[in-house]
Amino acid sequence: MTSVVVDPQIELDEERRLAVLHEYCLLDAPADDELTTVVRVAALVAGVPTATLNLIDESRQCQLTTYGFEGGNSARSDSMCAIQFRAGRFVHVSDAREHPLYRGNPWVTGRLASVRFYASAPLITPEGYALGTLCVFDDCVKELTDDQAGRLIDLADVLVALFERRRQARLNERLAEAAERNRYFTSTVLETIDVGIVVSDAEGHVTVLNRAAREWHGREADKSLDPESLPEHYGLFDAEGQRRLRPDEVPLLRALHEGVVQNVEMTLRSPGRPVLQLSCTGRRLVDDSGRVLGAVVALNDVTADREYRREIEGASAEIAARGEALSAALVELRRSNEELEQFAGAVSHDLVRPMAAAHGFLDLLCGEYSSMLDERAGKWLTGAIRSVERMQKLVDALLKYARAGQTPYQAEPVPLNIVLLDVLADLRTATESSRAQISATDDLPTVQGDPVLLRQLLQNLIDNAMKYRHPERQCRITVSAQDCPDRWIVRVADNGIGIPPEQRERVFEMFAQVDPKQQKGYGIGLSTCLRILDRHQGEISLEETEGGGTTVCLQLPK
């Protein structure tokens, strides 16, 4: 048996041709009057009684419209047009019985018809793919003139142009539908949100007011309104609500002329409506060529926020009037908080990096030049490295303390069992080196709090328990929880060296240490924990673990 090798490129081209054919959506669709007219004209040009518009897909020849006979579908293998149409050339056969490619075709032999004269012009798309043919034929032998052949080729081009027009019309319809969906979506969003949206054209005329803006202004958009009249027409005043805005101060017009406005405040005074304070952010609108289309401004109602701020300021003034001492305490508190923030910034930039550099240089000396140092110099160098490392740890502890008080508090449901797993992963090295056994009960709750701060809290407590473990017994740490009516009590219990009762309140003070001689910490860890509990409106206290050690009790309100 002889195998037939098919060129992969031919198969790929046929797949693309079929994809283009189906994209036109012509198969099995009724032909319109224009296509039928072109086929009839083709028959008249050729001087024959029959003509057809043939489209050829994977397996069949579809006679989309015919002239002079009843058309239909037939197998592609029986089609005369399918033999040479992909070559893209005009075919002219005077007597098909004498042509080697066509004499055995069922349209010639009498099985389907008895065609003698046959001519076809291929339907070639702008991309170069043949969709089928414009075919004319007769049962009599016939010759075409060159002029007739040229006119048939022209008519085939007309058919493809009609195909293209129909496809473009469908594409335009889809684009219009998509544009309408987008317009409806945008309109729905604008009408749903509680942010006022105002849009102007390039001359500053108001063209769009969404639902919120219409309710606040008590008016519809008026495209005929002179931009100079916007402050009076819409009741636009300054942030204090005392002076009517000039036209060049209106946020919408500022965005149009300046390009961008951000967080500009104004007061809206509409007759019969509540006075509103609005925060405005806007931007100029331009197209891809840089042509100005207009401007848009978003209005946020900050009336309640400003009223609350005024109440706070009034309360602060009342408190200040009750006593200079309290006022001075507030000033001092603000000053200390600012200094703490400045300290944290200074530490991170001015201490951490130089110490890291110093540590690196000392490591280089120990590594590359250790052979050049005598024993005493080596001890000095080792001592210097330890001092730098201790300073780095102290700075890190101070940073954690500062951040615990200044980090934005983001409350959310926090599963403590998940937090504990993350903490244990962070402390894996310390746990392995101390051979500590850490366990937790199955009833650890989900609490309302800041996940970052709660993770720092548990990490500090477990790290402290391992750091102050008892030298004569294996370190054991247990985390448990108790459900009380209005709060959760979480206990972190260890069997370490313990804290004397008289020291259990003092250890929460900054830099307080039970035994400074041990040099195991800096007296900052528990102070940091206290800060975190304060942020959560909770409490922290110490108890003695049964059998020896310390139990830290954390009370978190529900």
Side-chain angles (χ1 to χ4, degrees):
M1 179 181 292
T2 302
S3 61
V4 177
V5 179
V6 179
D7 187 346
Q9 184 61 42
I10 294 177
E11 289 188 342
L12 180 61
D13 289 344
E14 176 65 5
E15 289 179 3
R16 293 173 178 169
R17 185 194 75 81
L18 291 171
V20 172
L21 172 63
H22 290 296
E23 186 179 323
Y24 280 93
C25 300
L26 295 167
L27 293 169
D28 303 315
D32 56 28
D33 292 341
E34 291 177 320
L35 299 179
T36 302
T37 299
V38 173
V39 173
R40 183 173 66 252
V41 171
L44 296 175
V45 167
V48 296
T50 48
T52 178
L53 169 55
N54 292 331
L55 298 176
I56 299 174
D57 66 9
E58 300 93 325
S59 59
R60 59 180 176 150
Q61 171 182 274
C62 174
Q63 293 178 326
L64 190 63
T65 183
T66 61
Y67 175 75
F69 73 103
E70 186 72 25
N73 294 334
S74 60
R76 179 171 174 171
S77 58
D78 293 338
S79 170
M80 294 180 71
C81 292
I83 295 174
Q84 296 192 76
F85 83 106
R86 288 178 56 189
R89 296 189 300 269
F90 182 78
V91 176
H92 176 203
V93 177
S94 299
D95 187 350
R97 292 173 301 178
E98 305 298 327
H99 197 286
L101 293 179
Y102 297 103
R103 61 190 176 198
N105 189 274
W107 287 87
V108 177
T109 61
R111 184 163 68 86
L112 293 179
S114 299
V115 173
R116 300 294 176 262
F117 164 74
Y118 167 77
S120 64
L123 305 173
I124 307 298
T125 69
E127 298 87 357
Y129 295 105
L131 306 180
T133 65
L134 172 60
C135 173
V136 293
F137 58 95
D138 197 351
D139 57 3
C140 300
V141 176
K142 182 179 178 62
E143 287 280 350
L144 287 179
T145 66
D146 291 343
D147 184 62
Q148 286 175 308
R151 299 293 75 76
L152 290 175
I153 293 173
D154 292 341
L155 289 174
D157 291 339
V158 170
L159 288 173
V160 173
L162 293 174
F163 294 168
E164 285 291 328
R165 190 183 70 180
R166 290 174 62 174
R167 179 171 70 165
Q168 192 59 50
R170 286 195 305 273
L171 292 176
N172 291 340
E173 184 178 355
R174 292 172 189 167
L175 291 174
E177 291 175 355
E180 177 60 22
R181 286 195 299 271
N182 290 338
R183 187 203 65 77
Y184 179 76
F185 176 79
T186 303
S187 175
T188 301
V189 170
L190 290 179
E191 292 299 295
T192 301
I193 61 176
D194 291 327
V195 175
I197 302 294
V198 183
V199 182
S200 79
D201 60 18
E203 287 71 40
H205 301 103
V206 175
T207 58
V208 174
L209 289 174
N210 74 333
R211 174 194 56 80
R214 292 195 302 273
E215 291 177 355
W216 294 344
H217 290 83
R219 299 175 184 272
E220 298 287 339
D222 186 354
K223 301 178 183 179
S224 64
L225 186 66
D226 186 350
E228 296 288 324
S229 303
L230 291 181
E232 182 176 357
H233 183 76
Y234 289 108
L236 309 181
F237 289 78
D238 63 7
E240 289 71 31
Q242 303 300 316
R243 179 181 61 81
R244 192 183 299 274
L245 294 180
R246 301 190 307 272
D248 62 344
E249 295 176 318
V250 174
L252 180 65
L253 300 181
R254 283 185 57 189
L256 179 63
H257 298 137
E258 300 173 16
V260 175
V261 293
Q262 290 185 328
N263 302 321
V264 175
E265 293 196 11
M266 69 176 182
T267 303
L268 182 62
R269 293 181 175 274
S270 297
R273 295 181 178 273
V275 176
L276 298 178
Q277 287 186 270
L278 303 176
S279 177
C280 313
T281 297
R283 184 177 295 273
R284 180 191 298 146
L285 301 175
V286 297
D287 61 15
D288 294 338
S289 65
R291 182 170 61 94
V292 176
L293 302 177
V296 59
V297 65
L299 313 175
N300 284 286
D301 183 2
V302 296
T303 307
D305 179 72
R306 298 301 177 262
E307 179 63 29
Y308 179 71
R309 182 182 297 179
R310 285 191 290 271
E311 290 177 1
I312 293 296
E313 292 172 352
S316 298
E318 182 179 350
I319 290 173
R322 290 180 181 178
E324 294 183 1
L326 183 55
S327 178
L330 291 174
V331 172
E332 177 61 22
L333 179 60
R334 293 192 186 100
R335 183 194 63 77
S336 63
N337 285 338
E338 290 173 359
E339 288 183 353
L340 186 58
E341 291 181 9
Q342 294 169 2
F343 169 74
V347 166
S348 61
H349 291 89
D350 301 335
L351 293 180
V352 172
R353 292 178 182 175
M355 282 192 296
H359 193 280
F361 287 132
L362 291 173
D363 281 341
L364 288 174
L365 286 174
C366 281
E368 296 185 16
Y369 300 99
S370 59
S371 60
M372 302 171 59
L373 303 175
D374 58 23
E375 183 180 355
R376 183 169 61 172
K379 290 181 179 179
W380 290 346
L381 190 57
T382 301
I385 290 176
R386 290 176 179 171
S387 296
V388 170
E389 289 176 346
R390 182 169 176 79
M391 179 59 76
Q392 286 178 314
K393 292 178 180 178
L394 174 59
V395 169
D396 182 63
L398 289 171
L399 277 173
K400 288 180 179 178
Y401 177 80
R403 290 168 181 160
Q406 300 301 324
T407 302
Y409 177 75
Q410 303 289 340
E412 61 183 71
V414 181
L416 289 185
N417 57 337
I418 301 298
V419 174
L420 182 59
L421 290 176
D422 293 337
V423 169
L424 295 181
D426 293 341
L427 296 176
R428 179 174 299 157
T429 301
T431 304
E432 291 174 353
S433 63
S434 65
R435 298 182 180 179
Q437 290 186 351
I438 304 173
S439 61
T441 58
D442 296 332
D443 57 353
L444 292 186
T446 294
V447 300
Q448 190 75 10
D450 186 294
V452 175
L453 294 177
L454 290 175
R455 181 170 175 171
Q456 183 180 354
L457 173 67
L458 288 181
Q459 185 165 328
N460 276 358
L461 295 177
I462 294 175
D463 189 42
N464 267 1
M466 290 189 290
K467 189 182 302 178
Y468 295 101
R469 61 187 179 274
H470 199 287
E472 298 179 0
R473 53 179 175 246
Q474 183 180 11
C475 178
R476 288 188 173 84
I477 304 167
T478 302
V479 182
S480 61
Q482 179 183 352
D483 186 359
C484 296
D486 60 342
R487 64 185 58 209
W488 290 102
I489 299 179
V490 179
R491 291 184 173 86
V492 180
D494 64 57
N495 63 343
I497 60 176
I499 299 176
E502 65 274 10
Q503 300 264 23
R504 289 176 189 164
E505 291 187 9
R506 191 182 67 84
V507 291
F508 291 106
E509 298 174 4
M510 191 68 168
F511 302 115
Q513 295 176 277
V514 177
D515 188 1
K517 295 179 181 179
Q518 292 188 5
Q519 295 188 351
K520 290 187 177 181
Y522 308 97
I524 299 175
L526 287 178
S527 299
T528 303
C529 294
L530 178 61
R531 274 199 150 199
I532 294 173
L533 264 295
D534 286 342
R535 300 293 298 279
H536 287 76
Q537 299 181 359
E539 298 178 7
I540 183 171
S541 59
L542 302 179
E543 299 175 354
E544 183 174 354
T545 306
E546 185 177 354
T550 300
T551 297
V552 183
C553 298
L554 311 174
Q555 298 190 37
L556 295 168
K558 292 183 178 179

